[in-house]
Amino acid sequence: MSAFEDYLSVGYWMNDGQRLAVYKFFIKTKIPLYKAKANKLMNEKFLLESFANGEIAYSLHRGVASFKARKIGEADFDVERRSVKLSKVRRISIKRLVKFFAQAEVDVLRNYPIPHNTELEQRGYAMNVYPYYDLNYFSNGAGKARGLLMKIQSKDDVLLEKLLASNTK
């Protein structure tokens, strides 16, 4: 079992640095998949995917992509969780969607991890106010310029190296 597969069952208990490392892992390893999904979403305006123990419904309406999530087996989706405004330039929109898909999967992993030996508690949907692709995340809402400085100064979690190493085996 790879390090990544281990993390599919511990989503509840990952700290923010670990979730950011998983997000970066997705960005580095799933770009072709995400680009294909972006093209499909832009053409069909709707996309349903399963990830970990959750389902994600992506939709595109008037240049804004959004997603809703639910636990596998539940009848209804939650409310819209995140959205991102797309560009009129398809290439830029695809770049934004790649980051958006990675964030959505991290959010779903956090809330609907694969069941493990430990009983999962019932609780509300948890997510960061600012997504990892927004510079406001790094400044905690104090502005994008400060966020850029903080992002440059930040160091990657050791988990990212561990995940990338386990992916090459």
Side-chain angles (χ1 to χ4, degrees):
M1 183 179 285
S2 72
F4 173 67
E5 290 168 338
D6 289 339
Y7 277 89
L8 289 175
S9 63
V10 295
Y12 282 162
W13 298 280
M14 286 192 303
N15 65 38
D16 197 48
Q18 291 170 322
R19 286 190 301 273
L20 178 59
V22 170
Y23 169 81
K24 288 178 179 181
F25 173 73
F26 289 163
I27 294 293
K28 290 179 184 245
T29 61
K30 293 178 129 186
I31 286 180
L33 173 67
Y34 288 157
K35 284 183 177 181
K37 284 171 54 170
N39 282 312
K40 187 173 181 180
L41 178 61
M42 292 171 72
N43 292 334
E44 298 177 11
K45 309 295 186 223
F46 183 79
L47 184 63
L48 183 63
E49 296 274 316
S50 293
F51 183 76
N53 196 32
E55 291 180 304
I56 310 168
Y58 298 101
S59 61
L60 180 60
H61 182 69
R62 294 186 178 176
V64 177
S66 60
F67 83 87
K68 296 178 181 182
R70 70 178 173 195
K71 186 175 183 179
I72 290 177
E74 289 185 0
D76 297 322
F77 281 95
D78 294 340
V79 298
E80 184 178 287
R81 293 297 172 184
R82 287 196 196 277
S83 61
V84 64
K85 185 165 179 26
L86 302 182
S87 171
K88 292 186 189 303
V89 179
R90 189 172 182 96
R91 191 175 200 154
I92 294 171
S93 292
I94 289 173
K95 280 186 167 186
R96 288 180 184 169
L97 284 171
V98 164
K99 294 174 184 178
F100 184 69
F101 291 145
Q103 181 69 51
E105 288 183 0
V106 169
D107 288 346
V108 167
L109 177 60
R110 179 180 188 175
N111 290 282
Y112 308 120
I114 292 176
H116 195 56
N117 297 337
T118 311
E119 182 66 29
L120 298 177
E121 59 197 52
Q122 293 294 323
R123 60 186 198 167
Y125 196 91
M127 60 189 245
N128 295 4
V129 173
Y130 300 106
Y132 296 124
Y133 55 82
D134 187 341
L135 291 174
N136 281 310
Y137 165 79
F138 294 95
S139 68
N140 201 20
K144 291 185 180 200
R146 185 169 187 189
L148 180 60
L149 289 173
M150 300 297 284
K151 182 178 181 178
I152 291 169
Q153 293 174 354
S154 71
K155 292 183 172 53
D156 286 337
D157 193 287
V158 196
L159 174 61
L160 178 59
E161 292 173 23
K162 184 178 174 183
L163 290 170
L164 289 170
S166 76
N167 192 46
T168 59
K169 293 179 183 176

